[in-house]
Amino acid sequence: MPKVLPKSFYTRHDVVQISKDLLGKILVTNIEGKQTSGIIVETEAYRAPDDKACHAYGDKFTTRTKTMFEEGGVAYVYICYGIHHLFNVVTADKGLAHAVLIRAVQPTTGLVVMENRRNMSSKQKEICNGPGKFTRAMGIFKSHNGISLLSRKSPIYIEDEDRIPEVNILSGPRVGMSTAEECSNWPWRFWIKNNRYTSKPGQVWYDL
DNA sequence: ATAATGATTCGCT
DNA sequence: GCGAATCATTATG
């Protein structure tokens, strides 16, 4: 039985390192009485106050961003484009608005549940290869904003696994932000090399 | 109170 | 590849 990632994993101050460490871990949800899980294969780091792409840039504190200022180990879920529920892991100490966006997972269990929620076959990589896609497949939504990830009793938690070797991790610019801002070029997007369940197009993928 | 916009996805060409 | 869908959040009056 793998252990749930402890608070000490999340309260570290290097959110970029945590983004890489999260690759290969198992994200588990127990929502609506159904369990699903998948391997985290793609992440992005966001870090206030200096990161202009972060919602809490300049330590901007609003109803929405206040979750990012919590102590590491809770979920930050928000709506994007009015439809999509995007899931982040809050990191660092209370008062530091750091978070890691989970962008894609490789489904492992609860495949039938995911198929029903997504209305497609789990054989298609498209079922979970995007930040709004896997949240729908795994039942994550806005009301999970702010909940703890530190217990197996939580509807969402992350199980520890061996680290992905650095040589098998690729990085690049984050997705979906203005190229005019210098920080949009920071290589703070990470994914597992040769994993076909990531959202990056135009490469040859192999199964893990 | 109102207007602008986005850490996206999907369907059509 | 392109553009519409769609609404919570935010800034501004």
Side-chain angles (χ1 to χ4, degrees):
Chain A
M1 192 76 148
K3 70 170 186 177
V4 175
L5 286 178
K7 180 182 280 192
S8 59
F9 178 92
Y10 299 102
T11 52
R12 289 175 292 158
H13 283 193
D14 188 346
V15 66
V16 173
Q17 183 62 50
I18 295 173
S19 298
K20 291 191 277 189
D21 288 348
L22 279 170
L23 294 174
K25 308 301 188 212
I26 310 294
L27 178 64
V28 185
T29 68
N30 283 297
I31 293 168
E32 297 170 321
K34 303 177 175 88
Q35 181 173 85
T36 63
S37 70
I39 304 166
I40 296 171
V41 298
E42 183 175 342
T43 62
E44 279 181 6
Y46 288 88
R47 187 186 68 191
D50 54 322
D51 175 10
K52 291 181 183 170
C54 179
H55 290 158
Y57 169 59
D59 281 338
K60 185 173 63 171
F61 191 92
T62 66
T63 311
R64 177 168 71 155
T65 64
K66 66 181 180 187
T67 308
M68 291 185 76
F69 290 87
E70 291 299 313
E71 184 176 34
V74 302
Y76 171 42
V77 184
Y78 76 96
I79 306 281
C80 186
Y81 292 95
I83 311 172
H84 311 292
H85 301 253
L86 271 54
F87 172 76
N88 304 246
V89 172
V90 175
T91 70
D93 286 323
K94 189 174 179 65
L96 277 176
H98 294 188
V100 179
L101 171 70
I102 309 300
R103 291 191 54 86
V105 304
Q106 175 178 339
T108 50
T109 68
L111 300 183
V112 175
V113 177
M114 295 195 196
E115 289 179 339
N116 289 336
R117 286 181 177 142
R118 291 276 293 140
N119 194 28
M120 66 165 66
S121 167
S122 57
K123 289 191 171 66
Q124 299 177 258
K125 63 179 172 55
E126 287 80 12
I127 194 168
C128 280
N129 72 337
K133 295 178 183 178
F134 88 86
T135 52
R136 172 143 177 226
M138 299 187 74
I140 297 171
F141 48 93
K142 183 182 175 330
S143 66
H144 296 113
N145 185 41
I147 67 167
S148 169
L149 304 171
L150 303 178
S151 163
R152 229 175 264 284
K153 285 176 290 208
S154 171
I156 310 172
Y157 59 89
I158 302 177
E159 288 180 341
D160 198 5
E161 291 289 333
D162 290 340
R163 284 196 60 204
I164 301 294
E166 191 82 21
V167 65
N168 290 329
I169 297 176
L170 298 179
S171 66
R174 290 172 293 181
V175 174
M177 51 204 61
S178 158
T179 54
E181 302 290 354
E182 177 183 300
C183 57
S184 69
N185 294 319
W186 295 350
W188 280 10
R189 173 168 176 254
F190 304 96
W191 64 96
I192 299 177
K193 185 179 174 181
N194 292 343
N195 186 290
R196 77 187 190 96
Y197 290 90
T198 56
S199 68
K200 189 177 175 64
Q203 288 197 28
V204 180
W205 302 115
Y206 305 88
D207 282 318
L208 194 63

